Amino acid sequence: QVQLVESGGGLVQAGGSLRLSCAASGSFSIYAMGWFRQAPGKEREFVATISWDGGATYYSDSAKGRFTISRDNARNMVYLQMNSLEPEDSAVYYCAKIRQFPKGEVDYWGQGAQVTVSP
């Protein structure tokens, strides 16, 4: 069983930055991980994924150049640094364990963290 707990969400003005954190249990150092988001009335969408050792990352077009996914296997943590935030980035952000990097099926989800970007 894998447990994922996100933190770091909140309210920020457009152009600002936030860093999301995800604390994981289990054999974290061998998991590929990802971040996804879901805005009201929209389907959940992929944001970024990272390989088990952090050596490879993969981003959605909307995240590329603005967001950075990283991990610390010694601390069982994965992060999403979000810069140049836009109101369109407002959503609940979910940490996830994926079966295979970069686009594997999600087999565990966190509870989500709200990110709200004001104009």
Side-chain angles (χ1 to χ4, degrees):
Q1 188 75 6
V2 176
Q3 290 188 321
L4 304 171
V5 180
E6 300 95 336
S7 60
L11 174 64
V12 64
Q13 286 189 326
S17 298
L18 276 177
R19 188 176 83 153
L20 300 179
S21 300
C22 174
S25 65
S27 301
F28 177 77
S29 62
I30 64 172
Y31 301 156
M33 299 292 295
W35 288 96
F36 294 74
R37 68 186 184 185
Q38 187 168 19
K42 295 188 177 181
E43 292 189 354
R44 194 170 298 190
E45 64 177 5
F46 153 77
V47 176
T49 55
I50 188 166
S51 61
W52 67 273
D53 63 349
T57 56
Y58 182 67
Y59 296 93
S60 67
D61 287 344
S62 63
K64 208 172 297 182
R66 299 188 301 129
F67 295 1
T68 302
I69 188 171
S70 62
R71 66 191 295 159
D72 183 343
N73 283 352
R75 298 175 186 262
N76 281 17
M77 298 290 292
V78 63
Y79 306 100
L80 185 68
Q81 177 67 43
M82 303 184 291
N83 299 328
S84 302
L85 283 161
E86 304 167 352
E88 293 73 25
D89 295 314
S90 296
V92 177
Y93 282 71
Y94 296 90
C95 177
K97 174 188 172 296
I98 59 175
R99 291 183 183 273
Q100 186 175 8
F101 177 82
K103 297 182 181 180
E105 179 183 354
V106 173
D107 50 7
Y108 290 96
W109 293 99
Q111 85 286 353
Q114 178 70 50
V115 171
T116 303
V117 184
S118 63

